[in-house]
Amino acid sequence: MVEFLNFLFNPEAIYDLATAHSFEFWISMGINIILSTLIGGIILSIILEIFGHKFGENVSVKNTFLVVLIVNLINMFGFMGLLLPFVIAIPFGNVILPLLVWIVFIKLFFGDLSLVHSIAVALIFYVITLFFAPIIVGYLGGFLGNLFP
């Protein structure tokens, strides 16, 4: 953990990380974040609207894209890797940890949802994005890659 904190405050180490990959890597990472945020935000807003109408809760879906963007940044840039060594002894810790992140952020941004509904929305969204969203992101990413050769 101390090494990571030294890394954060060392501009040379950050520069080395940024130059370790080619510019194509960073462009593809940016496209992946944008596409996964858009697709995830649409899916999450649909799920929240369904829960809002089904259970009569007043849920404002204006923060859905922000929640998805924050969790995508947490997942894609390796912040989960910092916490994973602490939960490696727990069976299925690598599956439970991202689910807990989703539960926390959905409860933080959508406080009007009850805890049970927040857990249900996070679980449904996590399962859908685990299997369905990568297919759409890969399809759209390939489509955009063919547009700009």
Side-chain angles (χ1 to χ4, degrees):
M1 187 70 177
V2 174
E3 291 177 14
F4 177 72
L5 293 176
N6 289 337
F7 172 78
L8 281 180
F9 300 114
N10 186 357
E12 186 175 323
I14 295 173
Y15 177 75
D16 290 339
L17 174 68
T19 57
H21 299 288
S22 65
F23 70 94
E24 291 95 359
F25 171 80
W26 293 109
I27 290 173
S28 67
M29 181 68 81
I31 290 172
N32 195 11
I33 287 174
I34 291 169
L35 286 176
S36 62
T37 300
L38 288 174
I39 292 167
I42 291 169
I43 293 171
L44 184 59
S45 63
I46 290 170
I47 292 171
L48 285 172
E49 285 294 327
I50 290 171
F51 265 75
H53 289 294
K54 179 82 173 162
F55 298 110
E57 294 188 17
N58 186 16
V59 179
S60 175
V61 295
K62 63 183 177 184
N63 293 330
T64 54
F65 292 97
L66 181 62
V67 171
V68 174
L69 176 65
I70 291 171
V71 176
N72 280 341
L73 291 174
I74 289 172
N75 288 335
M76 288 187 187
F77 285 110
F79 296 112
M80 285 293 191
L82 296 174
L83 300 175
L84 205 54
F86 298 111
V87 294
I88 200 71
I90 300 172
F92 301 108
N94 58 343
V95 175
I96 295 171
L97 188 62
L99 182 61
L100 288 176
V101 170
W102 276 112
I103 291 170
V104 167
F105 276 100
I106 285 177
K107 188 59 184 166
L108 282 176
F109 280 88
F110 306 107
D112 297 339
L113 283 174
S114 66
L115 183 62
V116 174
H117 292 157
S118 296
I119 293 171
V121 166
L123 183 63
I124 292 169
F125 182 71
Y126 180 66
V127 168
I128 287 175
T129 57
L130 194 63
F131 297 109
F132 185 62
I135 295 170
I136 297 174
V137 169
Y139 175 75
L140 289 176
F143 179 72
L144 290 174
N146 287 334
L147 283 179
F148 307 106

